[in-house]
Amino acid sequence: DGPRAAAAPGPEGAAASHDGEGRVGAGPGAVSASGTVSPGAAALALVAPVALFALSRQAQVLVERFLASGLPAGAISHLNYAQKVAQLPMVLSLMIVTVTLPVVARAMAEGDLAGARRRVERDLVWASGVVLAGAAYVLACGPQLIEVLFQRGAFDAGATESTAAVMRVYALGLLGHTLVGTLARPFFSAARPTWYPMAAMAGGLAVTVAAGALLVGPWGAPGIAAANAAGIAVAALLMLRGLSARVLPVDTRAVLGTLARLTAAAGAAALVGWAVAGRLDSPAVAVVAAALLVPSVLVAASGALRVPEALSLVTEARRRLRHVRSVP
């Protein structure tokens, strides 16, 4: 929305500012007549919650590397390789909500909370579907994937096995990472700065630290990955609850129900893909076969479990197929 001339400070907390002749006028991030609020302070108030939220997310990596520093040689490398590969589905899923962010921000700026709520709920399901498909694929053919990508030279079969084990555990936390990234956007699209996402991430980070300290001894690097998954799951649940209570009236029960059905469908797809990939001698063939099989089973299982988005996807695919057949 454009600037509003001569407007009094509104609910967004806009302050007054001086023009070149010393008169007081309205404007965002302005200075009051007493000089108590500066543009720099207003900008800092907007940026600080976002920056500290991002910092708290990255702190998880520092915690993991600190815990892994006492493990045998190669453990940090296994964590690095596993995390980089496992994060690819999350990156793809977050592209969806990045594209729709202006729609959510515009709806919230216009006071259309119902429209913003529908868009956010749809984004949560679509992004979760994408990342769960990736997680199911990683679970199905993790060792074969790592072998195709990295097993050459000093990266031997033992390194492949260790990296794949860590990557499969990381995959369990991909849904939480995607939910946190998706939920942060409507929080920061609100008119006023909010510290709630950073507080939720701090709670998740505390869980990561505590669980990592407990699990790194008996489980090693996979224990660290499990702590990561536990911490980000706690942060995601806190943010989902906080979003419905503070920003948008999201139907938390309906969203969690849909995500539970999607997760069950992804579990079925992972099992089918794992069973098929394990029977194939060639790692490259197993990787390709799982790439075709896992998404197909996920869509079919989601439809059987009555996930609305999966049903609409199947309906649209059938409509397009009929259209192609009807074209002479």
Side-chain angles (χ1 to χ4, degrees), residues 59-304:
Q60 277 197 318
V61 179
L62 298 178
V63 170
E64 293 172 24
R65 300 308 180 262
F66 174 78
L67 293 172
S69 62
L71 295 177
I76 291 181
S77 295
H78 300 153
L79 286 167
N80 285 335
Y81 280 110
Q83 192 174 59
K84 292 296 185 293
V85 177
Q87 281 182 343
L88 290 176
M90 182 188 70
V91 173
L92 292 174
S93 67
L94 290 179
M95 288 181 181
I96 297 173
V97 294
T98 299
V99 171
T100 60
L101 174 60
V103 178
V104 175
R106 186 181 305 112
M108 294 183 68
E110 294 172 352
D112 182 12
L113 296 185
R117 175 186 59 80
R118 288 192 298 270
R119 181 71 260 179
V120 169
E121 289 177 350
R122 192 176 300 119
D123 285 351
L124 286 170
V125 175
W126 279 111
S128 298
V130 171
V131 80
L132 284 172
Y137 179 69
V138 167
L139 291 170
C141 64
Q144 295 91 336
L145 180 61
I146 295 298
E147 182 175 349
V148 169
L149 290 176
F150 303 122
Q151 188 172 313
R152 56 189 62 87
F155 201 105
D156 56 14
T160 293
E161 182 180 357
S162 298
T163 302
V166 175
M167 185 175 69
R168 278 174 158 165
V169 180
Y170 266 133
L172 302 178
L174 287 178
L175 178 60
H177 282 285
T178 295
L179 291 177
V180 166
T182 304
L183 292 167
R185 285 159 169 77
F187 270 109
F188 295 131
S189 297
R192 293 173 294 178
T194 174
W195 293 92
Y196 187 87
M198 192 211 73
M201 277 305 307
L205 184 62
V207 172
T208 299
V209 172
L214 290 173
L215 299 177
V216 66
W219 289 359
I224 296 174
N228 176 293
I232 202 66
V234 169
L237 290 174
L238 289 174
M239 289 183 66
L240 181 59
R241 181 175 180 180
L243 181 70
S244 62
R246 297 167 178 265
V247 181
L248 284 175
V250 173
D251 190 342
T252 304
R253 181 175 297 181
V255 170
L256 289 177
T258 301
L259 294 183
R261 294 196 295 274
L262 273 175
T263 301
L271 285 174
V272 173
W274 172 76
V276 172
R279 294 178 177 271
L280 299 174
D281 295 329
S282 170
V285 173
V287 166
V288 174
L292 297 174
L293 187 60
V294 167
S296 302
V297 175
L298 176 61
V299 172
S302 298

